């Protein structure tokens, strides 16, 4: 009659209803705060993902440009090599012809020496012709040596450009793969932050602990994969710089399954 007795069956003792209502209000405020934090984390993660996707797109475009340049370098090198081989063949034929001519004049000179008393004038004409041919042979030989040296210099320059192009391609592949892995790490860390924020509630912590552990293991494995990819690409780049060949291949990436 004086409202001092518990209101059964909703109260075991006086004031239980008021206490439950206050606890309910506190939980509503905590839920609202958690939802705001989740929205902030989600917005930040979307911005980071957008930036990483833009970087990935730019890297892919640079890779295509580098590959086209490498193909052009290979084609140019093959063209120069074929041209040099053709010139070498022609120069050998010319050299053989010049040697034959020199031998022919030498034989003529020996015949004239036997009859020098009778044909001194004719001998002098043939001697002058021989000297002229010898000078021409020497000039042609000097030109051939210059052409050979130029071809060797061009070949070395082509090799340097090919090495530079291979290094550029490997560096681009490295950056592309590391950006992908870093993007995966960023997404996973965003999920982990969200789970840790949600686990701040005492009732949710036991449920989310196994998920938090799984995401932490996943992030650690992806970081190991990232270190492995960077190390192997750096090794390939160093081998190419030191003159190694057949190193232009992508590093194998092992997909780490998401939790």
């Amino acid at each position: 009659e004086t409202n001092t007795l518990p209101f059964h069956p909703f109260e075991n003792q006086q004031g239980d209803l008021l206490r439950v209502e206050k606890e309910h209000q506190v939980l509503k405020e905590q839920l609202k705060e958690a939802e705001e934090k989740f929205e902030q984390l989600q917005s930040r993660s979307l911005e980071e993902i957008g930036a990483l996707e833009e970087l990935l797109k730019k890297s892919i475009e640079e890779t295509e440009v580098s590959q086209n340049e490498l193909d052009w370098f290979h084609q140019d090198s093959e063209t120069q090599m074929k041209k040099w081989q053709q010139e070498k063949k022609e120069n050998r034929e010319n050299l053989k012809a010049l040697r034959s001519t020199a031998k022919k004049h030498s034989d003529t000179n020996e015949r004239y020496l036997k009859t020098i008393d009778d044909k001194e004038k004719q001998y002098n004409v043939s001697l002058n012709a021989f000297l002229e041919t010898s000078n021409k042979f020497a000039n042609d030989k000097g030109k051939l040596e210059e052409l050979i040296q130029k071809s060797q210099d061009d070949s070395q320059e082509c090799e340097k450009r090919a090495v530079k192009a291979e290094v550029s391609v490997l560096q681009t592949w490295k950056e592309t793969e590391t950006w992908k892995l870093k993007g995966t790490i960023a997404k996973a860390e965003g999920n982990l932050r969200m789970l840790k924020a949600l686990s701040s509630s005492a009732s949710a912590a036991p449920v989310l602990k196994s998920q938090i552990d799984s995401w932490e293991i996943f992030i650690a494995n992806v970081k190991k994969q990232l270190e492995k990819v960077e190390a192997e690409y750096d090794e390939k780049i160093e081998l190419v710089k030191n003159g190694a060949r057949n190193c232009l291949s992508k590093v194998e990436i092992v997909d780490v399954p998401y939790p």
Side-chain angles (χ1 to χ4, degrees):
E1 293 178 353
T2 59
N3 196 25
T4 58
L5 297 176
F7 181 35
H8 294 290
F10 305 104
E11 288 184 322
N12 293 323
Q13 59 183 6
Q14 182 66 24
D16 282 351
L17 283 177
L18 292 176
R19 184 168 56 256
V20 171
E21 185 176 358
K22 289 180 180 179
E23 291 177 354
H24 178 68
Q25 185 64 28
V26 171
L27 290 174
K28 285 177 65 178
E29 292 177 356
Q30 290 179 351
L31 177 61
K32 182 179 179 182
E33 183 180 355
E35 289 176 347
E36 292 176 353
K37 289 183 178 179
F38 171 75
E39 291 176 356
Q40 292 174 359
L41 289 173
Q42 187 179 38
S43 176
R44 192 182 310 158
S45 297
L46 290 174
E47 291 177 359
E48 293 176 354
I49 290 170
L52 289 172
E53 288 177 347
E54 185 66 25
L55 289 174
L56 178 60
K57 180 180 178 182
K58 182 178 179 182
S59 175
I60 292 173
E61 292 175 354
E62 292 177 352
T63 300
E64 293 176 353
V65 172
S66 298
Q67 187 63 46
N68 292 335
E69 291 179 353
L70 178 60
D71 294 339
W72 184 84
F73 287 148
H74 286 168
Q75 292 176 1
D76 183 66
S77 176
E78 291 176 358
T79 302
Q80 292 292 335
M81 183 60 69
K82 291 180 180 178
K83 182 179 178 181
W84 177 77
Q85 289 177 348
Q86 181 64 28
E87 290 177 353
K88 183 178 180 182
K89 181 180 179 181
E90 293 175 358
N91 292 334
R92 283 180 177 175
E93 293 176 354
N94 291 335
L95 182 61
K96 183 179 180 180
L98 289 172
R99 285 176 176 173
S100 177
T101 302
K103 186 176 184 301
K104 185 184 297 184
H105 285 293
S106 178
D107 294 339
T108 302
N109 185 45
E110 290 177 358
R111 285 198 308 271
Y112 286 161
L113 285 173
K114 294 178 182 179
T115 58
I116 190 172
D117 293 333
D118 299 328
K119 300 181 178 180
E120 184 177 2
K121 185 178 180 180
Q122 185 179 0
Y123 165 78
N124 290 330
V125 172
S126 298
L127 178 62
N128 292 332
F130 170 76
L131 293 175
E132 181 180 356
T133 303
S134 298
N135 291 333
K136 183 179 179 182
F137 173 78
N139 292 333
D140 290 340
K141 181 181 179 181
K143 291 179 180 179
L144 289 175
E145 291 175 350
E146 292 177 359
L147 289 174
I148 291 171
Q149 183 63 41
K150 184 177 182 300
S151 298
Q152 291 176 347
D153 294 339
D154 291 343
S155 177
Q156 292 176 356
E157 183 62 24
C158 289
E159 289 180 0
K160 291 179 180 178
R161 290 165 64 188
V163 168
K164 184 177 180 181
E166 289 184 4
V167 170
S168 177
V169 170
L170 289 171
Q171 187 67 35
T172 303
W173 284 348
K174 173 189 172 184
E175 293 174 357
T176 301
E177 298 300 337
T178 55
W179 280 334
K180 288 179 182 178
L181 293 173
K182 288 178 180 178
T184 301
I185 293 171
K187 292 179 182 179
E189 288 178 344
N191 291 337
L192 183 60
R193 288 194 298 269
M194 179 190 67
L195 290 173
K196 287 184 176 179
L198 293 175
S199 68
S200 60
S201 173
S203 60
V207 177
L208 297 177
K209 185 178 185 306
S210 61
Q211 296 186 25
I212 291 173
D213 293 340
S214 298
W215 279 104
E216 287 177 345
I217 293 172
F218 171 77
I219 291 171
N221 290 334
V222 175
K223 286 183 178 179
K224 289 180 181 178
Q225 184 70 15
L226 176 61
E227 293 174 357
K228 174 178 174 294
V229 168
E230 289 178 340
E232 290 186 13
Y233 270 116
D234 289 340
E235 182 180 357
K236 284 179 175 288
I237 291 171
E238 197 63 28
L239 288 173
V240 171
K241 288 181 179 179
N242 293 331
R245 292 293 178 267
N246 300 323
C247 293
L248 195 61
S249 61
K250 289 187 174 182
V251 174
E252 183 179 359
I253 306 298
V254 178
D255 291 331
V256 181
Y258 279 84

